Amino acid sequence: MNILENIRIVLVNPMFGGNMGSVCRAMNNNGITDLAVVAPRADMDMDEARKFSCNARAQLEARKEYETLAEAVADCTVVAGTSARTGFYRDTAYSPKEFAPIGLESAKDHKIALVFGREDKGLFNEELALCTHIIQIPSSELYTSLNLSHAVYVCCYEMFCAAGIFSPAEESAPEADSALRERMFATWREMMIRTEFVHDQKLDHMMMGLRRIFTRSKLTVPDAKILLGLARQSIWVTEQWKKKGNR
Ligand code: SAH
């Protein structure tokens, strides 16, 4: 089973449809699909919610609604409340990155919840009292409170990364071996002589510089062949130019 299926995002009494739609998108971007909404407002702009959810529209329609937070998290072991504010045990808060492995450990075998507050007043103390952990997203003193969907995004993103599901595309080309590298360096040396790029005394020094530049990152076989071809072509063009009596 996919561990992310055990992570529930709980929105408590959200105000704006746009935010709820953006939350759906943020969740799906990070592979999280269980959305619970506590005490949804009757006047929420659902057209806006649908608009902001974009391709996560099905996620929006699949949300579950509860009257109280206690009901929304009843089957969860870990319940992590999120807050930008200090006070009420918030000084023991975890960052999303610190919390992610803790949450995932429980999510292996149980449902867990990440709880987010209202746009205007956040989570009330009696709601935070239901939480086993508090998450505070690091932010500037200039403005500590994030937009609701941004806060959801950051927390979901850390859970997604910590789950280790995503594997970035890797370089598939084989690494150049010493023989190819040396062939390439020898041709570059030859090119520098033929094009009169450096004088004899400076040649070795320049070669050391080139060696440093070209081995600073992984040099693949295609990389080395491009560099080799470039040097060969430069030598050829220089010889043609000289044959035409240019020097
Ligand atoms: N004015 C409210 C801010 C609510 S922002 C207040 O003072 O609490 C809406 C929700 O986004 C918050 O309830 C919280 O769940 C989340 N959030 C916003 N900024 C956050 C931060 N820096 N750390 C953790 N959660 C945050």
Side-chain angles (χ1 to χ4, degrees):
M1 197 205 100
N2 177 350
I3 196 166
L4 298 176
E5 284 174 21
N6 272 345
I7 301 173
R8 180 174 304 151
I9 299 302
V10 183
L11 303 183
V12 177
N13 203 205
M15 297 168 71
F16 302 120
N19 278 341
M20 193 154 84
S22 300
V23 162
C24 293
R25 184 174 183 173
M27 288 171 62
N28 283 188
N29 285 147
N30 293 292
I32 295 174
T33 52
D34 186 355
L35 175 63
V37 185
V38 175
R41 304 194 192 205
D43 60 352
M44 182 179 281
D45 186 340
M46 289 312 290
D47 284 338
E48 197 182 63
R50 279 186 282 273
K51 201 157 67 190
F52 278 73
S53 66
C54 293
N55 289 343
R57 175 110 172 242
Q59 169 70 77
L60 180 68
E61 309 305 342
R63 72 190 181 278
K64 286 171 271 173
E65 297 188 347
Y66 297 88
E67 278 178 25
T68 65
L69 177 59
E71 289 169 84
V73 300
D75 58 341
C76 298
T77 52
V78 165
V79 177
T82 56
S83 179
R85 278 188 271 164
T86 52
F88 194 76
Y89 297 113
R90 290 178 178 90
D91 50 348
T92 58
Y94 295 85
S95 73
K97 206 189 265 310
E98 286 166 344
F99 171 78
I102 300 169
L104 285 178
E105 183 58 34
S106 284
K108 276 185 201 157
D109 306 306
H110 307 281
K111 293 263 176 223
I112 69 160
L114 303 187
V115 184
F116 296 84
R118 342 166 147 67
E119 289 91 331
D120 54 348
K121 295 183 184 142
L123 289 170
F124 299 150
N125 284 350
E126 54 272 28
E127 290 161 344
L128 281 170
L130 282 174
C131 298
T132 57
H133 298 73
I134 294 178
I135 299 175
Q136 187 168 32
I137 302 167
S139 53
S140 164
E141 279 179 14
L142 208 56
Y143 198 171
T144 55
S145 169
L146 279 73
N147 167 274
L148 172 60
S149 70
H150 296 186
V152 170
Y153 195 96
V154 172
C155 293
C156 289
Y157 174 75
E158 290 297 347
M159 300 303 288
F160 178 64
C161 289
I165 292 165
F166 179 73
S167 44
E170 277 180 29
E171 174 66 71
S172 57
E175 204 168 343
D177 61 13
S178 175
L180 176 60
R181 220 170 27 236
E182 289 310 313
R183 206 145 46 86
M184 187 267 287
F185 282 131
T187 316
W188 270 65
R189 192 173 194 280
E190 186 66 23
M191 169 176 74
M192 288 197 291
I193 296 167
R194 303 271 189 110
T195 58
E196 296 171 27
F197 182 67
V198 277
H199 297 296
D200 283 355
Q201 320 89 282
K202 290 239 174 128
L203 193 53
D204 289 338
H205 182 72
M206 186 64 81
M207 281 311 298
M208 281 314 294
L210 278 180
R211 281 178 183 279
R212 275 206 315 275
I213 293 167
F214 288 145
T215 54
R216 200 167 287 156
S217 64
K218 197 169 98 174
L219 196 71
T220 65
V221 169
D223 294 339
K225 287 187 173 166
I226 290 170
L227 294 171
L228 184 63
L230 169 69
R232 277 197 188 128
Q233 181 71 9
S234 302
I235 292 168
W236 186 80
V237 170
T238 305
E239 291 312 310
Q240 297 300 306
W241 186 74
K242 284 180 185 167
K243 267 190 211 154
K244 283 183 188 147
N246 282 315
R247 205 157 13 122

